[in-house]
């Protein structure tokens, strides 16, 4: 078993000497959605490269910063620069931002991502509230971090994602008049995008959107007793559902188009939670 408390003790010690406050809400920004960090009052931005042992984010659109910020009177930790399996990192490394948020006493975490749309009613540019996850591919890795079937780990999914949080996200969308789809996020480790056959399988297994992040962060956050909310930005039709070839630039371009709605939605969510 991997003990994240021991693994990240020195990162937390380094952080505690410089943070302006303990955040109430942590927001993890997905691919292309990093601009949100500029839309709120930043009190202190810490480059993750200045922190000991912090994995380096290698993906375009994922600059590594921990922003301590304020909005609507709430204290925020905004994570810009996620760590992914497809960059060659292990689960324990991917979980570092969530571990930091939990240890700094955040009670809520809003996870956001870019995802491919599997549900035929979705199109690029839609925002989707994640109402459940399929992460069957990495149950083994999860066990290595959470331990074997401890009572806590077993009873982890009674309110997951948090109903209260999700209701607030729906309310925020209504108030801001933003169309919010809803569905199941199907996780894959990558590194490549899916084949059309894999997407057909995910569709049969109830997936509405597909992506390479978030699932494990949500599981660990819930294990660390945080309330989890999660939103996907549907950036493309999943493989086989459109004749064009999927690229990271397409993902980034669509995220760019949605970012105004995304910003309004997330700001309203912060006001309401
Ligand atoms: N598949 C996996 N991850 C993704 C996709 C996709 O279609 N779009 C954005 N992230």
């Amino acid at each position: 078993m991997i003990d994240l408390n021991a693994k990240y003790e020195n990162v937390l010690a380094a952080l505690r000497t410089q943070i302006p406050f303990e955040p109430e809400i942590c927001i993890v920004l997905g691919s292309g959605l990093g601009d949100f960090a500029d839309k709120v009052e930043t009190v202190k931005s810490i480059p993750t490269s200045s922190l000991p042992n912090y994995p380096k984010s290698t993906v375009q659109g994922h600059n590594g910063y921990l922003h301590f910020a304020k909005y609507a009177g709430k204290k925020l930790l905004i994570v810009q620069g996620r760590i992914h399996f497809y960059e060659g990192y292990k689960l324990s490394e991917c979980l570092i931002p969530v571990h930091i948020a939990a240890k700094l006493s955040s009670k809520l975490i809003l996870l956001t991502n870019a995802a491919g749309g599997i549900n035929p009613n979705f199109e690029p540019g839609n925002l989707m509230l994640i109402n459940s996850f399929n992460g069957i591919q990495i149950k083994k890795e999860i066990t290595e971090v959470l331990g074997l079937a401890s009572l806590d780990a077993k009873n982890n999914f009674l309110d997951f994602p948090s109903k209260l949080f999700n209701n607030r996200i729906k309310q925020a969308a209504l108030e801001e008049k933003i169309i919010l789809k809803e569905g199941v996020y199907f996780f894959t480790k990558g590194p490549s995008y899916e084949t059309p056959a894999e997407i057909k399988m995910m569709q049969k297994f109830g997936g509405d959107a597909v992506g390479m992040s978030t699932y494990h962060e949500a599981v660990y956050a819930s294990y660390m007793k945080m309330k989890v909310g999660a939103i996907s930005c549907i950036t493309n039709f999943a493989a086989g559902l459109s004749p064009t070839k999927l690229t990271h630039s397409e993902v980034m371009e669509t995220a760019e188009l949605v970012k105004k709605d995304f910003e309004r939605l997330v700001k309203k969510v912060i006001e309401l939670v």
Side-chain angles (χ1 to χ4, degrees), residues 31 86 113-117 185-186 188 192-194 199 210-213 233 235-239 246 248 251:
S31 285
Y86 64 74
N113 60 45
Y185 178 87
F186 207 114
T188 157
S192 50
Y193 288 119
E194 302 68 43
I199 293 298
V210 56
M212 305 182 201
S213 66
C233 166
T235 50
N236 54 279
F237 291 106
L246 173 59
H248 188 60
V251 170

mmCIF file with all atom_site columns, all heavy atoms in Angstrom, residues 31 86 113-117 185-186 188 192-194 199 210-213 233 235-239 246 248 251, ligand 1:
data_model
loop_
_atom_site.group_PDB
_atom_site.id
_atom_site.type_symbol
_atom_site.label_atom_id
_atom_site.label_alt_id
_atom_site.label_comp_id
_atom_site.label_asym_id
_atom_site.label_entity_id
_atom_site.label_seq_id
_atom_site.pdbx_PDB_ins_code
_atom_site.Cartn_x
_atom_site.Cartn_y
_atom_site.Cartn_z
_atom_site.occupancy
_atom_site.B_iso_or_equiv
_atom_site.pdbx_formal_charge
_atom_site.auth_seq_id
_atom_site.auth_comp_id
_atom_site.auth_asym_id
_atom_site.auth_atom_id
_atom_site.pdbx_PDB_model_num
ATOM   1   N N   . SER A 1 31  ? -8.575  20.374 -19.165 1.00 0.00 ? 31  SER A N   1
ATOM   2   C CA  . SER A 1 31  ? -7.878  20.814 -20.380 1.00 0.00 ? 31  SER A CA  1
ATOM   3   C C   . SER A 1 31  ? -8.589  21.991 -21.025 1.00 0.00 ? 31  SER A C   1
ATOM   4   O O   . SER A 1 31  ? -9.800  21.926 -21.295 1.00 0.00 ? 31  SER A O   1
ATOM   5   C CB  . SER A 1 31  ? -7.863  19.701 -21.433 1.00 0.00 ? 31  SER A CB  1
ATOM   6   O OG  . SER A 1 31  ? -6.954  18.732 -21.086 1.00 0.00 ? 31  SER A OG  1
ATOM   7   N N   . TYR A 1 86  ? -1.654  9.274  -18.572 1.00 0.00 ? 86  TYR A N   1
ATOM   8   C CA  . TYR A 1 86  ? -1.098  9.207  -19.929 1.00 0.00 ? 86  TYR A CA  1
ATOM   9   C C   . TYR A 1 86  ? 0.210   9.979  -20.076 1.00 0.00 ? 86  TYR A C   1
ATOM   10  O O   . TYR A 1 86  ? 0.859   9.907  -21.112 1.00 0.00 ? 86  TYR A O   1
ATOM   11  C CB  . TYR A 1 86  ? -2.127  9.623  -20.994 1.00 0.00 ? 86  TYR A CB  1
ATOM   12  C CG  . TYR A 1 86  ? -2.619  11.049 -20.944 1.00 0.00 ? 86  TYR A CG  1
ATOM   13  C CD1 . TYR A 1 86  ? -1.815  12.104 -21.358 1.00 0.00 ? 86  TYR A CD1 1
ATOM   14  C CD2 . TYR A 1 86  ? -3.910  11.337 -20.519 1.00 0.00 ? 86  TYR A CD2 1
ATOM   15  C CE1 . TYR A 1 86  ? -2.283  13.408 -21.328 1.00 0.00 ? 86  TYR A CE1 1
ATOM   16  C CE2 . TYR A 1 86  ? -4.383  12.638 -20.487 1.00 0.00 ? 86  TYR A CE2 1
ATOM   17  C CZ  . TYR A 1 86  ? -3.567  13.666 -20.891 1.00 0.00 ? 86  TYR A CZ  1
ATOM   18  O OH  . TYR A 1 86  ? -4.025  14.958 -20.869 1.00 0.00 ? 86  TYR A OH  1
ATOM   19  N N   . ASN A 1 113 ? -13.339 18.744 -16.375 1.00 0.00 ? 113 ASN A N   1
ATOM   20  C CA  . ASN A 1 113 ? -12.493 18.106 -17.390 1.00 0.00 ? 113 ASN A CA  1
ATOM   21  C C   . ASN A 1 113 ? -13.040 18.353 -18.791 1.00 0.00 ? 113 ASN A C   1
ATOM   22  O O   . ASN A 1 113 ? -14.163 18.822 -18.956 1.00 0.00 ? 113 ASN A O   1
ATOM   23  C CB  . ASN A 1 113 ? -12.393 16.586 -17.129 1.00 0.00 ? 113 ASN A CB  1
ATOM   24  C CG  . ASN A 1 113 ? -13.739 15.893 -17.175 1.00 0.00 ? 113 ASN A CG  1
ATOM   25  O OD1 . ASN A 1 113 ? -14.551 16.135 -18.074 1.00 0.00 ? 113 ASN A OD1 1
ATOM   26  N ND2 . ASN A 1 113 ? -14.001 15.042 -16.207 1.00 0.00 ? 113 ASN A ND2 1
ATOM   27  N N   . ALA A 1 114 ? -12.210 18.015 -19.763 1.00 0.00 ? 114 ALA A N   1
ATOM   28  C CA  . ALA A 1 114 ? -12.653 17.954 -21.155 1.00 0.00 ? 114 ALA A CA  1
ATOM   29  C C   . ALA A 1 114 ? -12.932 16.481 -21.438 1.00 0.00 ? 114 ALA A C   1
ATOM   30  O O   . ALA A 1 114 ? -12.191 15.609 -20.974 1.00 0.00 ? 114 ALA A O   1
ATOM   31  C CB  . ALA A 1 114 ? -11.555 18.469 -22.069 1.00 0.00 ? 114 ALA A CB  1
ATOM   32  N N   . ALA A 1 115 ? -14.003 16.203 -22.170 1.00 0.00 ? 115 ALA A N   1
ATOM   33  C CA  . ALA A 1 115 ? -14.356 14.805 -22.411 1.00 0.00 ? 115 ALA A CA  1
ATOM   34  C C   . ALA A 1 115 ? -14.968 14.643 -23.800 1.00 0.00 ? 115 ALA A C   1
ATOM   35  O O   . ALA A 1 115 ? -15.500 15.600 -24.372 1.00 0.00 ? 115 ALA A O   1
ATOM   36  C CB  . ALA A 1 115 ? -15.354 14.338 -21.347 1.00 0.00 ? 115 ALA A CB  1
ATOM   37  N N   . GLY A 1 116 ? -14.901 13.428 -24.317 1.00 0.00 ? 116 GLY A N   1
ATOM   38  C CA  . GLY A 1 116 ? -15.550 13.114 -25.582 1.00 0.00 ? 116 GLY A CA  1
ATOM   39  C C   . GLY A 1 116 ? -17.001 12.732 -25.319 1.00 0.00 ? 116 GLY A C   1
ATOM   40  O O   . GLY A 1 116 ? -17.305 12.061 -24.331 1.00 0.00 ? 116 GLY A O   1
ATOM   41  N N   . GLY A 1 117 ? -17.896 13.164 -26.186 1.00 0.00 ? 117 GLY A N   1
ATOM   42  C CA  . GLY A 1 117 ? -19.314 12.848 -26.008 1.00 0.00 ? 117 GLY A CA  1
ATOM   43  C C   . GLY A 1 117 ? -19.652 11.494 -26.608 1.00 0.00 ? 117 GLY A C   1
ATOM   44  O O   . GLY A 1 117 ? -19.421 11.253 -27.794 1.00 0.00 ? 117 GLY A O   1
ATOM   45  N N   . TYR A 1 185 ? -19.571 9.421  -16.561 1.00 0.00 ? 185 TYR A N   1
ATOM   46  C CA  . TYR A 1 185 ? -18.229 9.647  -17.115 1.00 0.00 ? 185 TYR A CA  1
ATOM   47  C C   . TYR A 1 185 ? -17.488 8.313  -17.122 1.00 0.00 ? 185 TYR A C   1
ATOM   48  O O   . TYR A 1 185 ? -17.311 7.691  -16.076 1.00 0.00 ? 185 TYR A O   1
ATOM   49  C CB  . TYR A 1 185 ? -17.507 10.651 -16.229 1.00 0.00 ? 185 TYR A CB  1
ATOM   50  C CG  . TYR A 1 185 ? -16.078 10.983 -16.621 1.00 0.00 ? 185 TYR A CG  1
ATOM   51  C CD1 . TYR A 1 185 ? -15.812 12.002 -17.539 1.00 0.00 ? 185 TYR A CD1 1
ATOM   52  C CD2 . TYR A 1 185 ? -14.996 10.319 -16.042 1.00 0.00 ? 185 TYR A CD2 1
ATOM   53  C CE1 . TYR A 1 185 ? -14.508 12.337 -17.873 1.00 0.00 ? 185 TYR A CE1 1
ATOM   54  C CE2 . TYR A 1 185 ? -13.687 10.656 -16.370 1.00 0.00 ? 185 TYR A CE2 1
ATOM   55  C CZ  . TYR A 1 185 ? -13.454 11.668 -17.280 1.00 0.00 ? 185 TYR A CZ  1
ATOM   56  O OH  . TYR A 1 185 ? -12.150 12.009 -17.608 1.00 0.00 ? 185 TYR A OH  1
ATOM   57  N N   . PHE A 1 186 ? -17.079 7.902  -18.300 1.00 0.00 ? 186 PHE A N   1
ATOM   58  C CA  . PHE A 1 186 ? -16.360 6.626  -18.430 1.00 0.00 ? 186 PHE A CA  1
ATOM   59  C C   . PHE A 1 186 ? -14.872 6.943  -18.494 1.00 0.00 ? 186 PHE A C   1
ATOM   60  O O   . PHE A 1 186 ? -14.405 7.612  -19.412 1.00 0.00 ? 186 PHE A O   1
ATOM   61  C CB  . PHE A 1 186 ? -16.801 5.912  -19.708 1.00 0.00 ? 186 PHE A CB  1
ATOM   62  C CG  . PHE A 1 186 ? -16.666 4.423  -19.635 1.00 0.00 ? 186 PHE A CG  1
ATOM   63  C CD1 . PHE A 1 186 ? -17.788 3.599  -19.651 1.00 0.00 ? 186 PHE A CD1 1
ATOM   64  C CD2 . PHE A 1 186 ? -15.418 3.830  -19.550 1.00 0.00 ? 186 PHE A CD2 1
ATOM   65  C CE1 . PHE A 1 186 ? -17.666 2.217  -19.581 1.00 0.00 ? 186 PHE A CE1 1
ATOM   66  C CE2 . PHE A 1 186 ? -15.287 2.449  -19.476 1.00 0.00 ? 186 PHE A CE2 1
ATOM   67  C CZ  . PHE A 1 186 ? -16.416 1.647  -19.495 1.00 0.00 ? 186 PHE A CZ  1
ATOM   68  N N   . THR A 1 188 ? -10.891 6.257  -18.919 1.00 0.00 ? 188 THR A N   1
ATOM   69  C CA  . THR A 1 188 ? -9.867  5.392  -19.499 1.00 0.00 ? 188 THR A CA  1
ATOM   70  C C   . THR A 1 188 ? -8.502  6.022  -19.208 1.00 0.00 ? 188 THR A C   1
ATOM   71  O O   . THR A 1 188 ? -8.364  7.244  -19.139 1.00 0.00 ? 188 THR A O   1
ATOM   72  C CB  . THR A 1 188 ? -10.058 5.177  -21.017 1.00 0.00 ? 188 THR A CB  1
ATOM   73  O OG1 . THR A 1 188 ? -8.806  4.805  -21.594 1.00 0.00 ? 188 THR A OG1 1
ATOM   74  C CG2 . THR A 1 188 ? -10.530 6.437  -21.719 1.00 0.00 ? 188 THR A CG2 1
ATOM   75  N N   . SER A 1 192 ? -3.800  6.698  -25.682 1.00 0.00 ? 192 SER A N   1
ATOM   76  C CA  . SER A 1 192 ? -4.388  7.074  -26.975 1.00 0.00 ? 192 SER A CA  1
ATOM   77  C C   . SER A 1 192 ? -5.886  7.336  -26.788 1.00 0.00 ? 192 SER A C   1
ATOM   78  O O   . SER A 1 192 ? -6.493  6.864  -25.817 1.00 0.00 ? 192 SER A O   1
ATOM   79  C CB  . SER A 1 192 ? -4.192  5.942  -27.983 1.00 0.00 ? 192 SER A CB  1
ATOM   80  O OG  . SER A 1 192 ? -4.608  4.735  -27.424 1.00 0.00 ? 192 SER A OG  1
ATOM   81  N N   . TYR A 1 193 ? -6.464  8.087  -27.729 1.00 0.00 ? 193 TYR A N   1
ATOM   82  C CA  . TYR A 1 193 ? -7.914  8.193  -27.743 1.00 0.00 ? 193 TYR A CA  1
ATOM   83  C C   . TYR A 1 193 ? -8.470  6.802  -28.058 1.00 0.00 ? 193 TYR A C   1
ATOM   84  O O   . TYR A 1 193 ? -7.745  5.900  -28.480 1.00 0.00 ? 193 TYR A O   1
ATOM   85  C CB  . TYR A 1 193 ? -8.366  9.219  -28.789 1.00 0.00 ? 193 TYR A CB  1
ATOM   86  C CG  . TYR A 1 193 ? -8.058  10.649 -28.378 1.00 0.00 ? 193 TYR A CG  1
ATOM   87  C CD1 . TYR A 1 193 ? -7.223  11.455 -29.143 1.00 0.00 ? 193 TYR A CD1 1
ATOM   88  C CD2 . TYR A 1 193 ? -8.624  11.185 -27.221 1.00 0.00 ? 193 TYR A CD2 1
ATOM   89  C CE1 . TYR A 1 193 ? -6.948  12.762 -28.759 1.00 0.00 ? 193 TYR A CE1 1
ATOM   90  C CE2 . TYR A 1 193 ? -8.347  12.490 -26.830 1.00 0.00 ? 193 TYR A CE2 1
ATOM   91  C CZ  . TYR A 1 193 ? -7.515  13.273 -27.592 1.00 0.00 ? 193 TYR A CZ  1
ATOM   92  O OH  . TYR A 1 193 ? -7.241  14.560 -27.215 1.00 0.00 ? 193 TYR A OH  1
ATOM   93  N N   . GLU A 1 194 ? -9.767  6.648  -27.891 1.00 0.00 ? 194 GLU A N   1
ATOM   94  C CA  . GLU A 1 194 ? -10.382 5.329  -27.993 1.00 0.00 ? 194 GLU A CA  1
ATOM   95  C C   . GLU A 1 194 ? -10.553 4.920  -29.458 1.00 0.00 ? 194 GLU A C   1
ATOM   96  O O   . GLU A 1 194 ? -10.560 5.742  -30.357 1.00 0.00 ? 194 GLU A O   1
ATOM   97  C CB  . GLU A 1 194 ? -11.774 5.355  -27.321 1.00 0.00 ? 194 GLU A CB  1
ATOM   98  C CG  . GLU A 1 194 ? -11.750 5.763  -25.880 1.00 0.00 ? 194 GLU A CG  1
ATOM   99  C CD  . GLU A 1 194 ? -11.364 7.229  -25.660 1.00 0.00 ? 194 GLU A CD  1
ATOM   100 O OE1 . GLU A 1 194 ? -11.851 8.103  -26.400 1.00 0.00 ? 194 GLU A OE1 1
ATOM   101 O OE2 . GLU A 1 194 ? -10.553 7.494  -24.757 1.00 0.00 ? 194 GLU A OE2 1
ATOM   102 N N   . ILE A 1 199 ? -15.546 2.722  -27.916 1.00 0.00 ? 199 ILE A N   1
ATOM   103 C CA  . ILE A 1 199 ? -16.648 3.655  -27.617 1.00 0.00 ? 199 ILE A CA  1
ATOM   104 C C   . ILE A 1 199 ? -17.995 2.920  -27.631 1.00 0.00 ? 199 ILE A C   1
ATOM   105 O O   . ILE A 1 199 ? -18.841 3.130  -26.762 1.00 0.00 ? 199 ILE A O   1
ATOM   106 C CB  . ILE A 1 199 ? -16.647 4.844  -28.609 1.00 0.00 ? 199 ILE A CB  1
ATOM   107 C CG1 . ILE A 1 199 ? -15.397 5.703  -28.399 1.00 0.00 ? 199 ILE A CG1 1
ATOM   108 C CG2 . ILE A 1 199 ? -17.925 5.688  -28.480 1.00 0.00 ? 199 ILE A CG2 1
ATOM   109 C CD1 . ILE A 1 199 ? -15.262 6.350  -27.022 1.00 0.00 ? 199 ILE A CD1 1
ATOM   110 N N   . VAL A 1 210 ? -16.469 10.324 -22.233 1.00 0.00 ? 210 VAL A N   1
ATOM   111 C CA  . VAL A 1 210 ? -15.246 9.568  -21.962 1.00 0.00 ? 210 VAL A CA  1
ATOM   112 C C   . VAL A 1 210 ? -14.083 10.523 -21.774 1.00 0.00 ? 210 VAL A C   1
ATOM   113 O O   . VAL A 1 210 ? -13.981 11.544 -22.452 1.00 0.00 ? 210 VAL A O   1
ATOM   114 C CB  . VAL A 1 210 ? -14.943 8.564  -23.104 1.00 0.00 ? 210 VAL A CB  1
ATOM   115 C CG1 . VAL A 1 210 ? -14.845 9.246  -24.467 1.00 0.00 ? 210 VAL A CG1 1
ATOM   116 C CG2 . VAL A 1 210 ? -13.649 7.777  -22.835 1.00 0.00 ? 210 VAL A CG2 1
ATOM   117 N N   . GLY A 1 211 ? -13.219 10.173 -20.817 1.00 0.00 ? 211 GLY A N   1
ATOM   118 C CA  . GLY A 1 211 ? -12.046 11.013 -20.577 1.00 0.00 ? 211 GLY A CA  1
ATOM   119 C C   . GLY A 1 211 ? -10.995 10.278 -19.770 1.00 0.00 ? 211 GLY A C   1
ATOM   120 O O   . GLY A 1 211 ? -11.208 9.138  -19.333 1.00 0.00 ? 211 GLY A O   1
ATOM   121 N N   . MET A 1 212 ? -9.852  10.954 -19.603 1.00 0.00 ? 212 MET A N   1
ATOM   122 C CA  . MET A 1 212 ? -8.687  10.291 -18.997 1.00 0.00 ? 212 MET A CA  1
ATOM   123 C C   . MET A 1 212 ? -8.289  10.886 -17.647 1.00 0.00 ? 212 MET A C   1
ATOM   124 O O   . MET A 1 212 ? -7.130  10.839 -17.263 1.00 0.00 ? 212 MET A O   1
ATOM   125 C CB  . MET A 1 212 ? -7.508  10.391 -19.965 1.00 0.00 ? 212 MET A CB  1
ATOM   126 C CG  . MET A 1 212 ? -7.808  9.842  -21.350 1.00 0.00 ? 212 MET A CG  1
ATOM   127 S SD  . MET A 1 212 ? -6.362  9.943  -22.410 1.00 0.00 ? 212 MET A SD  1
ATOM   128 C CE  . MET A 1 212 ? -7.117  9.874  -24.029 1.00 0.00 ? 212 MET A CE  1
ATOM   129 N N   . SER A 1 213 ? -9.258  11.455 -16.951 1.00 0.00 ? 213 SER A N   1
ATOM   130 C CA  . SER A 1 213 ? -8.922  12.031 -15.633 1.00 0.00 ? 213 SER A CA  1
ATOM   131 C C   . SER A 1 213 ? -10.111 11.835 -14.695 1.00 0.00 ? 213 SER A C   1
ATOM   132 O O   . SER A 1 213 ? -11.002 11.050 -14.966 1.00 0.00 ? 213 SER A O   1
ATOM   133 C CB  . SER A 1 213 ? -8.621  13.528 -15.788 1.00 0.00 ? 213 SER A CB  1
ATOM   134 O OG  . SER A 1 213 ? -9.788  14.222 -16.183 1.00 0.00 ? 213 SER A OG  1
ATOM   135 N N   . CYS A 1 233 ? -16.689 19.171 -19.835 1.00 0.00 ? 233 CYS A N   1
ATOM   136 C CA  . CYS A 1 233 ? -16.950 19.994 -21.011 1.00 0.00 ? 233 CYS A CA  1
ATOM   137 C C   . CYS A 1 233 ? -16.796 19.043 -22.202 1.00 0.00 ? 233 CYS A C   1
ATOM   138 O O   . CYS A 1 233 ? -15.722 18.470 -22.411 1.00 0.00 ? 233 CYS A O   1
ATOM   139 C CB  . CYS A 1 233 ? -15.909 21.106 -21.042 1.00 0.00 ? 233 CYS A CB  1
ATOM   140 S SG  . CYS A 1 233 ? -15.850 21.942 -22.610 1.00 0.00 ? 233 CYS A SG  1
ATOM   141 N N   . THR A 1 235 ? -15.934 18.217 -25.524 1.00 0.00 ? 235 THR A N   1
ATOM   142 C CA  . THR A 1 235 ? -15.139 18.966 -26.507 1.00 0.00 ? 235 THR A CA  1
ATOM   143 C C   . THR A 1 235 ? -15.190 18.358 -27.903 1.00 0.00 ? 235 THR A C   1
ATOM   144 O O   . THR A 1 235 ? -14.770 18.980 -28.870 1.00 0.00 ? 235 THR A O   1
ATOM   145 C CB  . THR A 1 235 ? -13.665 19.030 -26.066 1.00 0.00 ? 235 THR A CB  1
ATOM   146 O OG1 . THR A 1 235 ? -13.233 17.717 -25.729 1.00 0.00 ? 235 THR A OG1 1
ATOM   147 C CG2 . THR A 1 235 ? -13.486 19.964 -24.886 1.00 0.00 ? 235 THR A CG2 1
ATOM   148 N N   . ASN A 1 236 ? -15.687 17.122 -28.000 1.00 0.00 ? 236 ASN A N   1
ATOM   149 C CA  . ASN A 1 236 ? -15.662 16.441 -29.313 1.00 0.00 ? 236 ASN A CA  1
ATOM   150 C C   . ASN A 1 236 ? -16.622 15.258 -29.285 1.00 0.00 ? 236 ASN A C   1
ATOM   151 O O   . ASN A 1 236 ? -17.009 14.791 -28.205 1.00 0.00 ? 236 ASN A O   1
ATOM   152 C CB  . ASN A 1 236 ? -14.241 15.922 -29.587 1.00 0.00 ? 236 ASN A CB  1
ATOM   153 C CG  . ASN A 1 236 ? -13.734 15.037 -28.453 1.00 0.00 ? 236 ASN A CG  1
ATOM   154 O OD1 . ASN A 1 236 ? -13.254 15.542 -27.417 1.00 0.00 ? 236 ASN A OD1 1
ATOM   155 N ND2 . ASN A 1 236 ? -13.869 13.744 -28.623 1.00 0.00 ? 236 ASN A ND2 1
ATOM   156 N N   . PHE A 1 237 ? -16.997 14.789 -30.465 1.00 0.00 ? 237 PHE A N   1
ATOM   157 C CA  . PHE A 1 237 ? -17.728 13.517 -30.556 1.00 0.00 ? 237 PHE A CA  1
ATOM   158 C C   . PHE A 1 237 ? -16.716 12.409 -30.272 1.00 0.00 ? 237 PHE A C   1
ATOM   159 O O   . PHE A 1 237 ? -15.583 12.463 -30.768 1.00 0.00 ? 237 PHE A O   1
ATOM   160 C CB  . PHE A 1 237 ? -18.300 13.329 -31.958 1.00 0.00 ? 237 PHE A CB  1
ATOM   161 C CG  . PHE A 1 237 ? -19.413 14.283 -32.295 1.00 0.00 ? 237 PHE A CG  1
ATOM   162 C CD1 . PHE A 1 237 ? -19.210 15.342 -33.172 1.00 0.00 ? 237 PHE A CD1 1
ATOM   163 C CD2 . PHE A 1 237 ? -20.675 14.115 -31.737 1.00 0.00 ? 237 PHE A CD2 1
ATOM   164 C CE1 . PHE A 1 237 ? -20.239 16.224 -33.485 1.00 0.00 ? 237 PHE A CE1 1
ATOM   165 C CE2 . PHE A 1 237 ? -21.709 14.993 -32.042 1.00 0.00 ? 237 PHE A CE2 1
ATOM   166 C CZ  . PHE A 1 237 ? -21.494 16.047 -32.913 1.00 0.00 ? 237 PHE A CZ  1
ATOM   167 N N   . ALA A 1 238 ? -17.084 11.432 -29.479 1.00 0.00 ? 238 ALA A N   1
ATOM   168 C CA  . ALA A 1 238 ? -16.168 10.321 -29.192 1.00 0.00 ? 238 ALA A CA  1
ATOM   169 C C   . ALA A 1 238 ? -15.869 9.552  -30.494 1.00 0.00 ? 238 ALA A C   1
ATOM   170 O O   . ALA A 1 238 ? -16.617 9.666  -31.479 1.00 0.00 ? 238 ALA A O   1
ATOM   171 C CB  . ALA A 1 238 ? -16.789 9.397  -28.151 1.00 0.00 ? 238 ALA A CB  1
ATOM   172 N N   . ALA A 1 239 ? -14.788 8.791  -30.472 1.00 0.00 ? 239 ALA A N   1
ATOM   173 C CA  . ALA A 1 239 ? -14.305 8.105  -31.680 1.00 0.00 ? 239 ALA A CA  1
ATOM   174 C C   . ALA A 1 239 ? -15.409 7.282  -32.347 1.00 0.00 ? 239 ALA A C   1
ATOM   175 O O   . ALA A 1 239 ? -16.175 6.589  -31.678 1.00 0.00 ? 239 ALA A O   1
ATOM   176 C CB  . ALA A 1 239 ? -13.142 7.201  -31.315 1.00 0.00 ? 239 ALA A CB  1
ATOM   177 N N   . LEU A 1 246 ? -9.771  12.863 -34.273 1.00 0.00 ? 246 LEU A N   1
ATOM   178 C CA  . LEU A 1 246 ? -9.749  13.628 -33.027 1.00 0.00 ? 246 LEU A CA  1
ATOM   179 C C   . LEU A 1 246 ? -8.323  14.040 -32.661 1.00 0.00 ? 246 LEU A C   1
ATOM   180 O O   . LEU A 1 246 ? -7.409  13.227 -32.705 1.00 0.00 ? 246 LEU A O   1
ATOM   181 C CB  . LEU A 1 246 ? -10.348 12.768 -31.907 1.00 0.00 ? 246 LEU A CB  1
ATOM   182 C CG  . LEU A 1 246 ? -10.272 13.315 -30.493 1.00 0.00 ? 246 LEU A CG  1
ATOM   183 C CD1 . LEU A 1 246 ? -10.984 14.650 -30.403 1.00 0.00 ? 246 LEU A CD1 1
ATOM   184 C CD2 . LEU A 1 246 ? -10.875 12.322 -29.532 1.00 0.00 ? 246 LEU A CD2 1
ATOM   185 N N   . HIS A 1 248 ? -5.808  16.779 -29.952 1.00 0.00 ? 248 HIS A N   1
ATOM   186 C CA  . HIS A 1 248 ? -5.796  17.587 -28.725 1.00 0.00 ? 248 HIS A CA  1
ATOM   187 C C   . HIS A 1 248 ? -6.146  19.042 -29.057 1.00 0.00 ? 248 HIS A C   1
ATOM   188 O O   . HIS A 1 248 ? -6.778  19.730 -28.251 1.00 0.00 ? 248 HIS A O   1
ATOM   189 C CB  . HIS A 1 248 ? -4.438  17.484 -28.023 1.00 0.00 ? 248 HIS A CB  1
ATOM   190 C CG  . HIS A 1 248 ? -4.400  18.128 -26.667 1.00 0.00 ? 248 HIS A CG  1
ATOM   191 N ND1 . HIS A 1 248 ? -5.224  17.744 -25.622 1.00 0.00 ? 248 HIS A ND1 1
ATOM   192 C CD2 . HIS A 1 248 ? -3.660  19.153 -26.177 1.00 0.00 ? 248 HIS A CD2 1
ATOM   193 C CE1 . HIS A 1 248 ? -4.986  18.502 -24.565 1.00 0.00 ? 248 HIS A CE1 1
ATOM   194 N NE2 . HIS A 1 248 ? -4.039  19.366 -24.871 1.00 0.00 ? 248 HIS A NE2 1
ATOM   195 N N   . VAL A 1 251 ? -9.826  19.516 -28.994 1.00 0.00 ? 251 VAL A N   1
ATOM   196 C CA  . VAL A 1 251 ? -10.270 19.566 -27.596 1.00 0.00 ? 251 VAL A CA  1
ATOM   197 C C   . VAL A 1 251 ? -10.061 20.973 -27.042 1.00 0.00 ? 251 VAL A C   1
ATOM   198 O O   . VAL A 1 251 ? -10.956 21.571 -26.427 1.00 0.00 ? 251 VAL A O   1
ATOM   199 C CB  . VAL A 1 251 ? -9.480  18.513 -26.759 1.00 0.00 ? 251 VAL A CB  1
ATOM   200 C CG1 . VAL A 1 251 ? -9.727  18.695 -25.267 1.00 0.00 ? 251 VAL A CG1 1
ATOM   201 C CG2 . VAL A 1 251 ? -9.864  17.097 -27.186 1.00 0.00 ? 251 VAL A CG2 1
HETATM 202 N N1  . LIG B 2 .   ? -11.491 10.626 -25.277 1.00 0.00 ? 1   LIG B N1  1
HETATM 203 C C1  . LIG B 2 .   ? -10.721 10.652 -24.176 1.00 0.00 ? 1   LIG B C1  1
HETATM 204 N N2  . LIG B 2 .   ? -10.375 11.762 -23.547 1.00 0.00 ? 1   LIG B N2  1
HETATM 205 C C2  . LIG B 2 .   ? -10.835 12.925 -24.038 1.00 0.00 ? 1   LIG B C2  1
HETATM 206 C C3  . LIG B 2 .   ? -11.637 12.988 -25.185 1.00 0.00 ? 1   LIG B C3  1
HETATM 207 C C4  . LIG B 2 .   ? -11.985 11.770 -25.828 1.00 0.00 ? 1   LIG B C4  1
HETATM 208 O O1  . LIG B 2 .   ? -12.715 11.741 -26.855 1.00 0.00 ? 1   LIG B O1  1
HETATM 209 N N3  . LIG B 2 .   ? -11.910 14.305 -25.410 1.00 0.00 ? 1   LIG B N3  1
HETATM 210 C C5  . LIG B 2 .   ? -11.294 15.006 -24.417 1.00 0.00 ? 1   LIG B C5  1
HETATM 211 N N4  . LIG B 2 .   ? -10.637 14.179 -23.589 1.00 0.00 ? 1   LIG B N4  1
#
